[in-house]
């Protein structure tokens, strides 16, 4: 696993991305050289051909990202990946055709783009096939032993075995031990597999370690070059969330992260203020049409304001364009929105799917009540209830809430206690690893979700 922008990515995925970027760039360079044998040096060096091809490479990678070609959960489906590659190439061909028709000087001339696209088609399919073969080879896979029993250990084992693209083989876990579980049987099973299978890493996921944790054997393995890690940290790497079950306060105290320096807060606030101001100015032409649509669709105010809990538990008013009937909670009181909620108006459905209902929240960002990125603010009624039901729920209030967040781009819309628990785990990951780089990653993912119409509610 490689850590970039405070997020862990499988090394194999980064190898795939870098290799693909090089192949795209080289394909269009080769296409330009083949189509312009005598003038290729002039086109590439004098007329900024290399820069133009770099821009085309960025477009190809952007389309690939939008079609989930670098999503590690989808990398195992070979034929699905091939279909997506062809789909991406089709969209790239349309985009290049449009650019070549409207602005012919932007692309290298004499059919270079078409030649590069043909070369790229065969090169990408060949690279993907070679990649799928390469990552399945045993010498490139890491052998792991999970030390522990119970639901948490089983969840870890299942997750590692299902995500084969991580390059990890679970050679065994304590749940395979036959007979009574005690220190001696656990140690015997661990050392037997460690020596017989050549284990590279041991992940400790024992709920009750007193009397059963083979400390001496773990120390011997650690000094022998085997990596020993705690399950909470490892689950954080592969899932992008911090599990609250069996999470000890000591882990939160001693874990790396959860740091917010004065300079970080100052830069982040300045950036959020500037972007929110620009966002409000850019959205001004849309506002009259949104106001008119809301007015004509249903009676009631255009704007809807609601109390939310912000940083340090302070209450503030969050503004949105109204997307529900005025009497939406007259009979039920405070309640989450549900799938196909009948209280949502016709215009409200469109505003929610396009995220236009969130535009007034830019004012909340300007005021300093919110940021662009952070845990979504909840209503005081829900916060009081969820704080009693979910451990560490109050930790999410150490930062300003956001219009979007790590939980929003990683998890579906939630309207149950179980969903709130899952989202908190993603929020804890964000708070622990907060950085400007992670904010940019989340914003990029949010744009992708909005454009593809995913997760609207």
């Amino acid at each position: 696993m490689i850590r970039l922008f405070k997020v862990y990515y499988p090394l194999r995925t980064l190898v795939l991305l870098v290799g693909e970027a090089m192949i795209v760039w080289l394909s269009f360079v080769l296409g330009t050289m083949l189509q312009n044998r005598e003038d290729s040096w002039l086109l590439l060096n004098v007329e900024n051909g290399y820069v133009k091809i770099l821009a085309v490479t960025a477009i190809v990678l952007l389309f690939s990202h939008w079609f989930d070609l670098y999503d590690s959960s989808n990398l195992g489906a070979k034929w699905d990946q091939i279909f997506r590659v062809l789909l991406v190439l089709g969209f790239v061909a349309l985009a290049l055709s449009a650019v070549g028709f409207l602005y012919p000087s932007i692309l290298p001339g004499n059919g270079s783009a078409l030649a590069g696209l043909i070369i790229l088609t065969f090169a990408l399919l060949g690279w993907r096939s070679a990649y799928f073969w390469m990552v399945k080879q045993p010498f490139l896979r890491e052998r792991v032993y999970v030390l522990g029993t119970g639901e948490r250990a089983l969840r870890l084992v299942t997750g590692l075995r299902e995500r084969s693209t991580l390059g990890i083989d679970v050679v065994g876990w304590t749940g395979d031990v036959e007979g009574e579980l005690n220190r001696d049987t656990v140690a015997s099973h661990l050392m037997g597999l460690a020596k017989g299978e050549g284990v590279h890493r041991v992940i400790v996921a024992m709920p009750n370690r007193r009397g059963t944790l083979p400390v001496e054997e773990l120390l011997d393995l650690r000094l022998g070059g085997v990596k020993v890690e705690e399950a909470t940290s490892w689950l954080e790497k592969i899932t992008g969330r911090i599990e609250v079950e069996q999470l000890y306060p000591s882990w939160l105290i001693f874990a790396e992260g959860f740091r917010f320096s004065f300079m970080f807060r100052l830069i982040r606030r300045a950036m959020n203020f500037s972007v929110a101001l620009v966002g409000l100015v850019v959205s001004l032409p849309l506002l009259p049409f949104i106001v008119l649509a809301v007015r004509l669709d249903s009676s009631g105010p255009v704007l809807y304001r609601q109390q939310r809990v912000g940083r340090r538990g302070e209450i503030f008013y969050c503004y949105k364009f109204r997307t529900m009937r005025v009497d939406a909670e007259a009979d039920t009181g405070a309640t989450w929105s549900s799938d196909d909620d009948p209280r949502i108006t016709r215009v409200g459905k469109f505003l929610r799917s396009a995220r236009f209902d969130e535009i007034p929240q830019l004012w909340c960002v300007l005021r300093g009540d919110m940021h662009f990125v952070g845990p979504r603010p909840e209503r005081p009624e829900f916060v009081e209830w969820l704080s009693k039901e979910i451990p560490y729920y109050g930790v999410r209030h150490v930062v300003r809430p956001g219009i979007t967040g790590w939980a929003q781009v990683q998890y579906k819309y939630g309207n149950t206690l179980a969903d709130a628990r899952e989202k908190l785990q993603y929020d804890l990951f964000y708070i622990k690893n907060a950085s400007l780089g992670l904010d940019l990653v989340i914003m990029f993912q949010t744009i992708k979700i909005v454009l593809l119409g995913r997760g609207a509610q």
Side-chain angles (χ1 to χ4, degrees):
M1 304 287 282
I2 299 294
R3 197 182 191 195
L4 294 175
F5 303 119
K6 300 293 186 73
V7 181
Y8 292 95
Y9 297 95
L11 177 60
R12 293 157 179 254
T13 303
L14 294 179
V15 170
L16 176 64
L17 174 62
V18 172
E20 215 144 272
M22 293 177 61
I23 287 172
V24 174
W25 189 80
L26 289 172
S27 295
F28 283 99
V29 169
L30 184 58
T32 302
M33 297 176 107
L34 291 176
Q35 289 296 107
N36 306 273
R37 296 179 185 274
E38 297 180 358
D39 300 326
S40 61
W41 188 91
L42 183 68
L43 287 171
L44 292 172
N45 293 275
V46 179
E47 298 185 8
N48 299 317
Y50 287 121
V51 177
K52 296 176 181 178
I53 292 172
L54 191 62
V56 173
T57 302
I59 292 173
V60 175
L61 296 180
L62 186 62
F63 275 116
S64 299
H65 171 70
W66 280 350
F67 283 94
D68 299 324
L69 280 170
Y70 305 117
D71 186 348
S72 59
S73 62
N74 295 327
L75 290 179
K78 180 179 178 180
W79 292 109
D80 176 69
Q81 289 286 297
I82 292 175
F83 173 75
R84 290 171 187 264
V85 168
L86 294 176
L87 205 58
V88 165
L89 292 171
F91 275 98
V92 170
L94 290 175
L96 292 179
S97 298
V99 171
F101 179 76
L102 296 173
Y103 307 100
S105 61
I106 290 181
L107 298 176
N110 198 26
S112 300
L114 177 60
L117 198 60
I118 293 173
I119 296 171
L120 178 61
T121 301
F122 292 99
L124 269 187
L125 293 176
W127 162 244
R128 286 266 168 171
S129 298
Y131 175 82
F132 287 131
W133 174 85
M134 181 177 62
V135 297
K136 292 179 181 179
Q137 302 310 303
F139 60 86
L140 292 176
R141 302 186 68 82
E142 185 179 49
R143 291 179 289 279
V144 166
Y145 180 94
V146 176
L147 181 61
T149 57
E151 292 184 6
R152 188 160 176 252
L154 179 60
R155 189 163 59 249
L156 177 59
V157 171
T158 304
L160 290 173
R161 285 175 173 169
E162 287 178 349
R163 299 182 65 180
S164 60
T165 52
L166 291 174
I168 292 174
D169 288 328
V170 180
V171 298
W173 70 300
T174 311
D176 295 332
V177 176
E178 297 180 358
E180 182 184 359
L181 278 178
N182 54 50
R183 186 200 174 285
D184 293 335
T185 57
V186 170
S188 176
H189 190 260
L190 167 63
M191 298 306 289
L193 284 175
K195 294 178 180 179
E197 299 289 341
V199 169
H200 299 115
R201 187 188 304 267
V202 176
I203 304 175
V204 181
M206 300 189 77
N208 185 10
R209 302 178 183 182
R210 183 170 297 180
T212 56
L213 186 67
V215 177
E216 294 181 5
E217 286 77 7
L218 285 174
L219 182 58
D220 289 340
L221 291 174
R222 179 72 178 84
L223 296 176
V226 177
K227 297 178 182 178
V228 179
E229 293 187 70
E230 210 276 329
T232 300
S233 300
W234 187 248
L235 283 167
E236 176 192 353
K237 292 179 182 180
I238 66 173
T239 64
R241 66 179 190 265
I242 297 174
E243 295 197 347
V244 295
E245 295 179 10
Q246 300 176 23
L247 179 61
Y248 302 102
S250 59
W251 189 89
L252 292 173
I253 293 171
F254 295 113
E256 181 185 355
F258 299 105
R259 297 175 182 172
F260 307 96
S261 66
F262 172 77
M263 188 56 64
F264 170 71
R265 291 185 185 276
L266 184 64
I267 295 174
R268 194 162 179 250
R269 178 73 189 112
M271 289 181 62
N272 276 269
F273 183 89
S274 303
V275 176
L277 188 61
V278 172
L280 279 173
V281 173
V282 170
S283 62
L284 281 177
L286 294 174
L287 299 186
F289 299 100
I290 296 175
V291 171
L292 182 62
V294 174
R295 282 284 192 189
L296 295 176
D297 186 50
S298 62
S299 60
V302 172
L303 286 177
Y304 176 68
R305 77 171 191 169
Q306 198 174 64
Q307 283 190 336
R308 297 293 174 101
V309 179
R311 185 184 173 200
R312 299 195 186 102
E314 297 177 356
I315 305 298
F316 71 96
Y317 280 103
C318 180
Y319 296 90
K320 288 187 176 185
F321 283 117
R322 184 174 56 82
T323 58
M324 287 188 174
R325 304 191 314 262
V326 177
D327 61 346
E329 295 183 340
D331 298 326
T332 61
T335 180
W336 279 315
S337 176
S338 59
D339 297 334
D340 300 321
D341 198 315
R343 301 174 298 169
I344 301 176
T345 64
R346 290 171 299 176
V347 169
K349 289 182 179 179
F350 168 75
L351 292 179
R352 288 188 173 212
S353 64
R355 303 309 199 280
F356 288 160
D357 63 319
E358 311 276 1
I359 292 177
Q361 290 185 44
L362 294 174
W363 172 248
C364 299
V365 177
L366 281 178
R367 284 170 47 89
D369 294 326
M370 296 177 64
H371 274 166
F372 271 100
V373 178
R376 284 293 292 165
E378 272 295 356
R379 299 168 68 173
E381 302 92 327
F382 293 141
V383 170
E384 183 180 359
W385 169 54
L386 294 172
S387 297
K388 296 176 182 177
E389 299 293 331
I390 305 175
Y392 306 107
Y393 191 80
V395 177
R396 71 198 303 273
H397 297 134
V398 301
V399 296
R400 285 187 176 92
I403 297 176
T404 185
W406 184 245
Q408 279 61 51
V409 300
Q410 294 293 320
Y411 192 72
K412 63 183 180 67
Y413 175 84
N415 52 17
T416 66
L417 177 62
D419 290 332
R421 184 186 297 270
E422 281 293 316
K423 285 199 168 186
L424 172 64
Q425 295 177 147
Y426 287 107
D427 288 335
L428 290 177
F429 176 91
Y430 171 77
I431 295 169
K432 177 179 180 289
N433 299 284
S435 68
L436 296 177
L438 180 55
D439 284 358
L440 291 175
V441 170
I442 294 171
M443 291 296 295
F444 189 72
Q445 284 286 89
T446 301
I447 294 171
K448 171 185 172 181
I449 290 171
V450 171
L451 291 177
L452 298 181
R454 298 176 180 176
Q457 185 72 4

